[in-house]
């Protein structure tokens, strides 16, 4: 190789890494970075009682675009007809599971609007027809959920034992698994291993046959695939229902350019 050619080759090999370095420095200097979405727990509220309805307070900090997901656990199972179980306006029933006429549980969700975020909305009410019914449950608020298609999968199971087991469902990478448990009586329910309890609420007064407990737990699923079942241990054996739901993470947005202060 001639001396002149060697000089050109050396200059080219110097320019290529220098160009890459300049690009990296430009991105850092101009605060350009991708916005990576992630689901996060926001807040939760819960309630229990015996009445023709169950009113649950709005979780704190609700903003438009948050996902609200509600658990309604009720005595009577199939004895409470679909026509008599009425949800608030704009809530969608995701899954309902009944353990014969003993106990039932329904999961609902909605994407919060400006009305939900406003001071005028303080609670949400589910009604049970004209008959008083023991019920318990709660609402969880999540951020970072896909508002167009928030649900990956859901499923339910029933039994009569101390092993209250939410079934396996499909998860996507970075989705959130939420497991719900309900049992007749106010016996204890443990939090499954690896999960976090968001509320654990019961009716602990009145005849034992009118008591009921609800538990909601969640965990991040980093990898796609089957979640496996999630068992909660009850303090005593009784009729139970359990459900699993996976939430879809919001798609990542395009890189955002934030100009330095001297360019604004």
């Amino acid at each position: 190789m001639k001396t002149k050619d060697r000089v050109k080759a050396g200059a080219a090999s110097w320019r290529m890494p220098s160009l890459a370095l300049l690009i990296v420095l430009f991105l850092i200097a101009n605060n350009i970075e991708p916005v990576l979405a992630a689901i996060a727990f926001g807040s939760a509220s819960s309630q229990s009682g015996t009445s023709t309805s169950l009113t649950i307070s709005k979780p704190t900090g609700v903003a438009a675009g948050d996902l609200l997901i509600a658990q309604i656990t009720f005595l009577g199972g199939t004895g409470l007809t679909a026509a008599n179980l009425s949800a608030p306006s704009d809530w969608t029933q995701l899954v309902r599971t009944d353990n014969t006429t003993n106990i039932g549980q329904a999961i609902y969700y909605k994407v919060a609007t400006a009305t939900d975020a406003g001071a005028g909305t303080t609670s949400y009410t589910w009604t049970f027809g004209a008959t008083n019914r023991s019920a318990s449950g709660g609402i969880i608020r999540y951020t970072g959920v896909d508002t167009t298609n928030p649900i990956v999968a859901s499923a339910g199971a029933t039994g009569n034992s101390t092993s209250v087991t939410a079934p396996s469902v499909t998860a996507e990478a970075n989705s959130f698994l939420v497991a719900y448990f309900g049992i007749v009586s106010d016996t204890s329910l443990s939090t499954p291993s690896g999960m976090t309890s968001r509320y654990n609420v019961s009716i602990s007064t009145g005849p034992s046959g009118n008591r009921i407990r609800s538990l909601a737990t969640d965990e991040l699923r980093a990898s796609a695939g089957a979640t496996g079942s999630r068992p909660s241990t009850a303090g005593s054996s009784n009729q139970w229902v359990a459900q699993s739901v996976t939430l879809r993470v919001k798609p990542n947005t395009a890189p955002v350019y934030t100009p330095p202060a001297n360019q604004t």
Side-chain angles (χ1 to χ4, degrees), residues 5-262:
D5 293 335
R6 285 198 299 269
V7 171
K8 287 181 178 180
S13 64
W14 177 85
R15 282 197 302 270
M16 291 184 67
S18 296
L19 179 60
L21 178 60
L22 287 173
I23 292 172
V24 171
L25 292 175
F26 175 80
L27 294 175
I28 294 172
N30 289 280
N31 299 319
I32 298 177
E33 57 183 17
V35 178
L36 301 178
I39 299 176
F41 166 77
S43 56
S45 58
S46 61
Q47 188 57 270
S48 64
T50 301
S51 178
T52 58
S53 63
L54 181 67
T55 298
I56 305 175
S57 297
K58 179 178 73 174
T60 59
V62 171
D66 290 349
L67 183 78
L68 304 179
I69 185 163
Q71 171 191 19
I72 307 297
T73 312
F74 50 89
L75 288 183
T78 55
L80 177 58
T81 65
N84 284 333
L85 177 55
S86 179
S89 175
D90 297 332
W91 286 78
T92 299
Q93 185 181 105
L94 174 61
V95 59
R96 172 175 170 169
T97 307
D98 294 303
N99 188 334
T100 64
T101 58
N102 293 292
I103 184 174
Q105 187 165 274
I107 306 300
Y108 299 81
Y109 72 93
K110 74 168 298 182
V111 176
T113 64
T115 300
D116 295 300
T121 300
T122 60
S123 62
Y124 302 94
T125 299
W126 280 259
T127 59
F128 309 130
T131 303
N132 283 344
R133 195 170 296 273
S134 295
S136 59
I139 300 173
I140 307 177
R141 175 177 68 87
Y142 291 102
T143 61
V145 179
D146 186 343
T147 56
T148 302
N149 192 16
I151 307 300
V152 178
S154 62
T158 63
N160 184 355
S161 65
T162 58
S163 182
V164 185
T165 304
S168 177
V169 288
T170 300
E172 296 178 349
N174 299 316
S175 59
F176 235 66
L177 170 64
V178 191
Y180 295 100
F181 307 88
I183 192 167
V184 176
S185 84
D186 63 340
T187 186
S188 61
L189 284 173
S190 68
T191 300
S193 176
M195 305 194 81
T196 299
S197 174
R198 297 308 180 187
Y199 55 78
N200 194 334
V201 60
S202 71
I203 297 175
S204 57
T205 59
S208 59
N210 291 340
R211 300 179 188 181
I212 195 168
R213 179 175 291 277
S214 299
L215 167 67
T217 64
D218 62 21
E219 67 172 88
L220 172 66
R221 298 295 300 173
S223 302
T227 63
S229 60
R230 293 292 184 275
S232 169
T233 301
S236 60
S237 179
N238 217 317
Q239 303 283 346
W240 57 261
V241 61
Q243 293 156 322
S244 299
V245 177
T246 40
L247 306 179
R248 179 173 284 110
V249 67
K250 183 184 299 184
N252 291 331
T253 59
V256 175
Y257 171 69
T258 304
N262 61 4

